[in-house]
Amino acid sequence: MRIPLSAPDIDEADIAAVVSVLRTSRLSIGPRMEEFEASVAHYTGVPYGVALASGTAGLHLGLAALGIGEGDEVILPSFTFIAVANAVLYRRATPVFAQIDPRTLNLTAQTVAGAITRRTRAIIAVHTFGCPVDLDPIIDLATAHGLKVIEDACEALGAEYRGRRAGGLGEFGVFGFYPNKPITTGEGGMLVTRNRELAETVRALRNQGRRSSDGWLDHSLLGYNYRLSEINCALGLSQMSRIDAILAQREERAACYREHLRTVPELTLPVFETEGGRTCWFVFVVRLAERFTVQDRDRIIDYMIARGIGCGRYFAPVHRQPLYASYADPKCDLRVTDETASRTLALPFFNRLTDAEIAEVCLTLREAMETVGQVPDRFT
Ligand SMILES: *Cc1c(COP(=O)(O)O)cnc(C)c1O
């Protein structure tokens, strides 16, 4: 793609940081990991961070550390990345999909309330596309029912809710560092929490079940190898050192898109003002008007791709995946999820996207909508 959907932002300092690790003999479980953990935890406003092989690993081990397992239900959105639901199935627990708010694309206390049963143990609030979930009412609801609130902040490093940072508000939060995320370690993730015991259990689980009091050949728990190497952690630490600049740059890119697209009548733009908050601009996802069918949307994507512009659908609802069809509880109305998923379109979004590229993407999108939707002169 001439203008890709996403692109990592690696600078010379990042490269030097990685190379400096390669000049040592410590490639795993070393000082870079500890520094990276401290950096992300401090930034999020909590005392503990546990670096992991992926964001998915963070969800898996966090659920394990809470003792969630067979017979337990976990409430989550269906309009999300499949990894969230997979982590629930890894524990043999049951995912229960709740409706999203059509404006923020996030769960709300109201939609969660309708999905609570006697078996519910936890709620995974996903800060979708970096837009902070209205968490206080969900936490109040969870407290009233004795449930844990988990934050999937994989798309939301630096997002703020009522002056506090996403990831640090629930029982634990999870970040992901895949190359399309706000900062990257190549592959990687981190669990952050205020709960020391939970952090220690997750630390043990990531390292073949070794507790800190165990020797290298003692394994008190059934663990995994979910460690993150020093090489990845050095890259993450270097990226964290310019997190403020990265977020500001992304905010500016989003504002530039808004200037170009705000007057297009048949597009709904992402939410810019949230409940006392700040969005971490992860992607720029727009929604087409109702008269555009899913086929129209896919033809618009094809039109853009044919012109060298990376463009994608985002997401396919999880309950539409064959593996999850049996979990689509008829009591939970997922119409907003289905309708939203069929009309969303992700546009190129990354730190170094230029104003000229954004202008070209927006012009091509208008052309595509005109061609596919056949409503000339409404966009001029
Ligand atoms: C990226 C992402 C994850 C985790 O992804 P990994 O590839 O496992 O790091 C989890 N949840 C959401 C919502 C994500 O966007």
Side-chain angles (χ1 to χ4, degrees):
M1 288 297 135
R2 212 162 28 77
I3 308 178
L5 187 56
S6 82
D9 180 4
I10 303 294
D11 70 10
E12 289 304 321
D14 294 338
I15 293 169
V18 168
V19 170
S20 77
V21 171
L22 296 175
R23 295 193 194 287
T24 73
S25 55
R26 199 76 188 248
L27 299 186
S28 188
I29 320 181
R32 294 293 172 271
M33 183 182 77
E34 282 176 20
E35 282 176 70
F36 184 41
E37 290 177 341
S39 162
V40 175
H42 177 77
Y43 181 75
T44 313
V46 298
Y48 308 105
V50 186
L52 296 160
S54 69
T56 310
L59 292 168
H60 182 188
L61 296 193
L63 290 170
L66 290 179
I68 287 170
E70 197 151 4
D72 295 333
E73 292 180 357
V74 178
I75 297 170
L76 72 164
S78 174
F79 186 71
T80 193
F81 186 42
I82 191 140
V84 187
N86 286 352
V88 176
L89 285 195
Y90 295 162
R91 295 296 305 159
R92 300 180 187 273
T94 305
V96 174
F97 299 113
Q99 187 60 284
I100 51 168
D101 175 76
R103 202 177 70 93
T104 63
L105 309 180
N106 285 329
L107 295 183
T108 67
Q110 220 177 353
T111 66
V112 168
I116 295 175
T117 73
R118 274 183 305 111
R119 291 170 177 268
T120 310
R121 292 282 312 280
I123 300 157
I124 305 181
V126 181
H127 301 286
T128 308
F129 304 149
C131 174
V133 175
D134 187 8
L135 263 180
D136 283 345
I138 294 181
I139 290 173
D140 289 345
L141 179 71
T143 307
H145 287 84
L147 313 176
K148 302 289 189 197
V149 175
I150 295 162
E151 289 178 85
D152 180 332
C154 284
E155 306 179 355
L157 183 66
E160 288 171 23
Y161 174 69
R162 296 185 173 166
R164 293 166 294 163
R165 291 218 164 103
L169 304 161
E171 186 65 23
F172 66 84
V174 173
F175 296 111
F177 307 124
Y178 185 73
N180 71 338
K181 308 279 163 151
I183 70 160
T184 187
T185 58
E187 293 282 1
M190 195 174 299
L191 180 146
V192 292
T193 182
R194 294 173 196 287
N195 183 333
R196 186 172 60 86
E197 217 176 302
L198 185 133
E200 280 181 3
T201 302
V202 171
R203 253 180 242 289
L205 290 172
R206 101 176 141 185
N207 191 20
Q208 307 289 13
R210 292 179 189 102
R211 291 238 176 235
S212 54
S213 51
D214 288 346
W216 189 253
L217 294 177
D218 297 330
H219 309 274
S220 19
L221 301 166
L222 172 63
Y224 304 83
N225 175 2
Y226 278 169
R227 297 184 298 260
L228 189 63
S229 87
E230 288 289 285
I231 303 166
N232 301 88
C233 291
L235 178 55
L237 197 54
S238 178
Q239 296 242 309
M240 271 309 281
S241 72
R242 57 196 165 90
I243 182 70
D244 293 338
I246 288 173
L247 294 180
Q249 210 170 0
R250 295 176 85 91
E251 233 154 29
E252 216 179 86
R253 303 298 76 212
C256 182
Y257 262 122
R258 177 164 68 167
E259 279 317 300
H260 282 281
L261 296 176
R262 62 199 287 168
T263 55
V264 180
E266 295 203 293
L267 272 188
T268 304
L269 300 191
V271 177
F272 276 76
E273 274 79 40
T274 59
E275 184 68 29
R278 174 189 193 188
T279 293
C280 158
W281 289 92
F282 164 60
V283 284
F284 200 84
V285 170
V286 297
R287 266 171 294 166
L288 299 164
E290 271 170 45
R291 67 179 192 83
F292 287 91
T293 64
V294 67
Q295 290 82 11
D296 290 338
R297 190 272 313 268
D298 291 344
R299 282 161 62 209
I300 290 171
I301 293 177
D302 292 344
Y303 185 99
M304 306 282 284
I305 289 175
R307 280 149 190 84
I309 297 173
C311 203
R313 31 192 311 228
Y314 235 111
F315 300 96
V318 177
H319 73 278
R320 294 289 168 194
Q321 303 288 331
L323 186 61
Y324 286 95
S326 65
Y327 295 99
D329 185 337
K331 288 197 302 298
C332 283
D333 175 7
L334 296 173
R335 266 176 301 176
V336 175
T337 296
D338 282 320
E339 282 165 20
T340 303
S342 66
R343 289 188 285 110
T344 52
L345 190 66
L347 301 176
F349 198 77
F350 47 93
N351 299 356
R352 296 180 187 206
L353 187 64
T354 66
D355 286 2
E357 285 170 331
I358 290 176
E360 183 190 332
V361 171
C362 295
L363 190 69
T364 312
L365 176 60
R366 285 168 181 237
E367 279 170 19
M369 288 172 67
E370 281 177 36
T371 309
V372 166
Q374 283 159 359
V375 277
D377 66 61
R378 290 182 60 182
F379 304 112
T380 48

